[in-house]
Each structure stands twice: as structure tokens, then as C-alpha cells.
């Protein structure tokens, strides 16, 4: 109740003009796992650098054409694996085109498996490339995103690392819409590798249809949780699939009359002042966290599922459950 009152009080302090402004739908785009993630169950290699460059070019030109401000979250180990020079060059292109970079740890570990000390070390080592690249662009690294949004599975881990991040000057990067793109991409890359063009083209269409369904689902969840539609924060990954469909993916938001905003601008909405205190081994989207925090009952089973033929395709890359059915 105390949190709810805080939230309502924060909402009432916003001038009427900006509350009316808030009726315009806004969304911030965040792209994780820079400089590239293959979707295969093996590390990046220097030989992957060329493909990564091509994919990043596609992403960056569409983003520029649609005037989308983006925050990219970097895995330092991926920078090193593809060759620091090639990896850093990609990061530099992002900042030169005006995008911000955030910390996504050194090697993208599962926080559930690490101690506090190990995870803090991941945060510090995650700064190796992003800090100098952002500094060269005259900017400061502001945001941190937990791998798989695992924000801490015990109270001690959650609160200690949250305090460590704040002390190092980080703000948490939440997200409100996801689209299981890592899973679609794992299947997609297998299709491309085996020259199965028919399946790859069917997958692209099904991925966009699923993404459209997710873009329509999460605002309803968020509205139910907090009583209005806050600025959305979309999460996708720097992979081949998104590079190949980015034009159509951006259009999904534009058709629904969303205006692109920066992550900082989205976070100005009072909803992002609701404390993030959930202790869980899963990584639910923020609508579920707000609902929990404000004691609003929501039904996570209403969230669309990706098509079965995609989830069944070949050997899937193991990944944590995206939605804790038992909890939400
Ligand atoms: Zn990630």
C-alpha cells in the first residue's frame, strides 16, 4: 500500500500537459548482446567479425532511417572473441551514430549461479571497452542490464549488487516487451547454415507475427498493473534475425502509433520509480514485477507462445525459462 501511494503521489505531481503528452504511446529500443551474438552454441570467432559487421550495418542503417534512439548493451567477452579491434570498431560505429552503450557484464553469466563477488567482478570487467568508447564520444556509461534480467535470486544477492551498481553510477535498464528473439534466432541460424531457405523465410514471417502479438500483449499487462500505458522499453538482441527483419520490426511499432524515445526519456515516467525488489530466479518483464509490487493479480498464461514448429526446430540453445508460469 505504501508503494502504491508513493506511485500515485508521483503520478499526481506530473503537470497536466505532460500527462496528456503521456497519452501518446512511446517506446525506447534496447538491443542486447552487442557487438553480435551468433545464436549458436559456440563462442564467437574472428571469422564471425565480417558477418557481425554486415548485421550491425543493417541494424544501424534502419535505425538511422527511422530516427530511433537506441541503447546497446555490450558483452565484453564477445568484443574480445571476435578480435578486440573488430569488436571495438562495431561499438564505435554505434556511438558515432548517436547510440548509447550500456554494460551487460563481461561474459553474460547467469547471476543465479554466481556469488556476489563473482558478479561484481563481471560488472567491473564489463566496462573495459564501453567506458573508453563512450568517453571518446563525450558520453558516460549510465545503464546496466542483467543477463536474462536475472536481478537476484536471494535478497542478499539482489540488494548487495543493486547497491554496488548504484555506487558505480549505474541505473538499471528495465524492459517491458520481449519477443523470444534469441530462440527464433537459434533456429534461424541453423536454417541459414543448412541453406533451408523456405524454413528461414517462414520463420521470419512467424517471428514478426509473434512480435506483433507480444507488442499487443504487454501494453495490456502494463495497463492492468499500473492503470495506464507507461513508455514501453523493447528488448531485442544484436543477431542475424533482427538484422534481416529490422525494417519490418520497427514498422510494427510505427503502425501502432508509437513514438521512439531514448531509454532515459522512457525512465522519466514515474512507473520506473517503483522499486525493483522482486527476488526470483527468473527474468520476468517489468509489467509482472510492477503487478507483484502493487499487489495486482495478473495472468501470465495469457502471454502468447512462440510457434511450436520453431521451438521444436533442431537442437535448441539451452536458456532460462522466459516466463515463470508458476509465479505469475
Ligand atoms: Zn543478453
Amino acid at each position: 500500500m505504501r508503494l502504491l501511494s508513493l506511485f500515485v503521489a508521483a503520478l499526481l505531481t506530473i503537470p497536466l500537459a505532460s500527462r496528456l503528452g503521456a497519452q501518446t504511446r512511446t517506446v525506447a529500443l534496447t538491443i542486447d548482446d552487442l557487438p553480435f551474438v551468433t545464436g549458436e552454441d559456440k563462442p564467437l570467432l574472428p571469422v564471425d567479425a565480417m558477418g557481425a559487421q554486415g548485421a550491425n550495418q543493417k541494424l544501424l542503417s534502419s535505425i538511422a532511417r527511422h530516427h530511433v534512439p537506441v541503447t546497446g548493451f555490450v558483452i565484453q567477452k564477445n568484443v574480445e572473441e571476435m578480435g578486440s579491434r573488430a569488436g571495438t570498431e562495431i561499438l564505435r560505429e554505434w556511438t558515432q551514430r548517436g547510440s548509447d552503450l550500456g554494460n551487460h557484464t563481461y561474459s553474460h553469466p547467469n547471476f543465479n549461479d554466481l556469488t556476489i563477488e563473482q558478479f561484481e567482478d563481471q560488472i567491473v570487467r564489463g566496462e573495459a571497452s564501453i567506458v573508453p568508447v563512450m568517453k571518446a564520444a563525450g558520453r558516460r556509461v549510465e545503464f546496466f542490464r542483467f543477463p536474462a534480467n536475472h536481478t537476484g535470486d536471494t535478497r542478499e544477492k539482489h540488494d548487495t549488487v543493486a547497491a554496488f551498481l548504484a555506487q558505480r553510477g549505474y541505473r538499471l535498464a528495465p524492459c517491458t516487451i520481449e519477443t523470444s528473439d534469441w530462440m527464433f534466432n537459434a533456429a534461424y541460424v541453423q536454417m541459414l547454415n543448412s541453406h533451408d531457405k523456405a524454413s528461414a523465410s517462414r520463420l521470419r514471417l512467424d517471428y514478426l507475427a509473434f512480435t506483433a502479438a507480444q507488442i499487443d500483449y504487454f501494453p495490456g499487462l502494463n495497463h492492468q498493473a499500473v492503470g495506464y500505458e507507461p513508455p514501453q522499453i523493447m528488448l531485442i538482441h544484436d543477431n542475424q534475425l533482427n538484422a534481416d527483419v529490422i525494417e519490418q520490426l520497427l514498422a510494427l511499432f510505427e503502425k501502432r502509433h508509437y513514438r521512439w524515445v531514448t531509454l532515459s526519456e522512457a525512465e522519466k515516467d514515474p512507473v520506473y520509480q517503483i522499486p525493483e525488489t522482486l527476488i526470483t530466479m527468473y527474468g520476468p518483464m517489468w509489467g509482472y514485477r510492477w503487478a507483484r509490487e502493487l499487489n495486482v493479480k495478473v495472468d501470465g498464461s495469457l502471454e502468447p507462445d512462440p510457434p511450436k514448429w520453431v521451438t521444436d526446430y533442431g537442437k535448441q540453445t539451452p536458456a532460462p525459462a522466459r516466463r515463470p508460469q508458476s509465479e505469475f
Side-chain angles (χ1 to χ4, degrees), residues 32-33 75 104 108 147-148 237:
D32 282 13
D33 300 1
I75 304 173
H104 197 34
H108 208 271
H237 295 81

Side-chain angles (χ1 to χ4, degrees), residues 49 73 164 173 179 315:
F73 288 88
F164 181 82
T179 181
K315 179 184 136 290

Side-chain angles (χ1 to χ4, degrees), residues 36 50-60 238-240 243-244:
F36 191 61
M50 219 197 289
Q53 262 159 11
N56 277 280
Q57 284 304 333
K58 277 183 164 182
L59 287 169
L60 285 168
D238 191 326
N239 61 30
Q240 192 60 50
D244 290 349

Side-chain angles (χ1 to χ4, degrees), residues 150-173:
H150 288 180
T151 46
D153 59 337
T154 68
R155 174 65 61 199
E156 193 197 2
K157 283 169 74 174
H158 178 284
D159 292 358
T160 310
V161 168
F164 181 82
L165 285 167
Q167 185 213 326
R168 275 186 97 76
Y170 284 106
R171 282 198 277 164
L172 182 62

Side-chain angles (χ1 to χ4, degrees), residues 10 25 70 113 150 159 171 180 205 240 296 298 306:
R25 310 180 97 185
V70 178
D113 300 334
H150 288 180
D159 292 358
R171 282 198 277 164
S180 297
L205 290 176
Q240 192 60 50
V296 176
V298 295

